[in-house]
Amino acid sequence: MRGAERLAGKVVLITGGAQGIGAQVARQLVGHGSRVAILDHDMATAQRLVGELGSAATAFDADVTSFESMTDACAAAAARFGGLDVVVANAGIAGPAATVAAVDPGEWRRVIDVDLVGVFHTVAATLPYLRGRRGYVLAVASIGAVIPGPTVSGYMAAKAGVESLVRSLRIELGATGVDIGIAYFGLVDTGLAQDMIAGSGVGAMLAALPAALGKPIPAATAATAITTGIARRARRVYAPRWVPILVDLRAPLVLADRLLAVWPSMRRIVRDADVEVPA
């Protein structure tokens, strides 16, 4: 990997680092000589990963929805490794497949709390350490930030919010030397992707695409994009290769909303996820 030498000796904090994309990123970074702080609420899985990676990794119990939990975990990680150079805000959940009319408001809010507020907590808790070392933050968003999200509106709204948060941070931190990147991924072969595909409007949309576009990519592929992005301090990270086309075509894609609303298979998915709304 080009620029891999820049990763040696770096201290990288990863939220949602116990499994999926986060775990693959940790493995690759340790392989390139980095030290990693794995933040997760699933400590049993996180500790197994640490056992695999050895002394270059340490696990910290953290709940991204709690600012107090994040400040405590980030302080402990900085103390353990002598500071922080890079933060990967990766923790996320898919949430239920249901329309706005049908979804439990608490479950919808939970997605926002993890996927958007969690990124805010992560950045806010780590900035005191990153400023002094002119560090780098990579927030993991999704192609969901720019495409319609029928029956998974909480996830899509959160990812669009992450994109706006990143843009705000770039302006706020422009004079500090801290760089901010964002990762846009299509479906990645993780538990979250399986939850997203099963019975949701996103699954219906993907079923209509050519197989090469609708097939989830391996978590290791997404992790390589993140690792490469860290080495380059990239503003934008993508995987697979067709994702930047959709990102750049977001304006005309908005025009497809009306077509999707009357698409028979989409209507069926929405109907199945909906409930009768009183008149």
Side-chain angles (χ1 to χ4, degrees):
M1 187 188 76
R2 292 179 59 185
E5 68 280 356
R6 301 171 193 160
L7 300 172
K10 297 295 185 183
V11 179
V12 184
L13 181 147
I14 309 167
T15 64
Q19 54 191 323
I21 297 173
Q24 292 290 352
V25 171
R27 291 185 179 101
Q28 292 186 17
L29 288 171
V30 169
H32 290 302
S34 300
R35 294 174 292 163
V36 296
I38 298 167
L39 272 62
D40 208 289
H41 215 29
D42 181 355
M43 285 302 288
T45 303
Q47 292 291 7
R48 284 195 293 271
L49 180 60
V50 168
E52 172 192 332
L53 298 178
S55 61
T58 304
F60 300 89
D61 189 1
D63 176 2
V64 296
T65 69
S66 165
F67 186 61
E68 181 180 7
S69 174
M70 286 302 296
T71 54
D72 289 347
C74 293
R80 165 67 177 82
F81 292 110
L84 299 175
D85 297 298
V86 176
V87 171
V88 180
N90 166 73
I93 59 175
T99 64
V100 171
V103 71
D104 178 272
E107 292 185 353
W108 195 92
R109 175 59 185 265
R110 172 69 178 169
V111 178
I112 301 297
D113 285 344
V114 174
D115 293 6
L116 175 55
V117 180
V119 175
F120 164 75
H121 286 163
T122 300
V123 176
T126 55
L127 275 179
Y129 309 101
L130 296 174
R131 284 176 182 269
R133 299 172 78 150
R134 301 175 70 85
Y136 174 72
V137 177
L138 182 65
V140 178
S142 165
I143 192 62
V146 300
I147 64 172
T151 78
V152 282
S153 62
Y155 180 85
M156 301 303 193
K159 295 304 183 180
V162 168
E163 183 182 56
S164 291
L165 175 60
V166 165
R167 293 177 66 187
S168 296
L169 285 167
R170 284 175 177 158
I171 297 169
E172 293 178 4
L173 300 173
T176 68
V178 177
D179 290 324
I180 313 292
I182 184 169
Y184 297 96
F185 293 136
L187 279 177
V188 181
D189 191 11
T190 63
L192 186 150
Q194 296 307 316
D195 292 343
M196 188 73 68
I197 293 173
S200 78
V202 173
M205 291 169 62
L206 291 173
L209 296 175
L213 299 182
K215 182 179 178 181
I217 62 172
T221 300
T224 297
I226 289 176
T227 304
T228 303
I230 292 171
R232 294 171 44 233
R233 296 172 69 94
R235 288 176 62 85
R236 301 203 296 186
V237 169
Y238 305 103
R241 287 181 293 179
W242 53 263
V243 166
I245 298 174
L246 286 185
V247 172
D248 292 338
L249 289 176
R250 70 177 68 200
L253 281 174
V254 171
L255 301 176
D257 289 359
R258 289 189 177 185
L259 296 176
L260 289 170
V262 298
W263 186 20
S265 60
M266 182 63 70
R267 281 193 166 185
R268 183 174 62 253
I269 288 289
V270 171
R271 184 182 63 248
D272 291 344
D274 209 349
V275 294
E276 183 178 353
V277 179

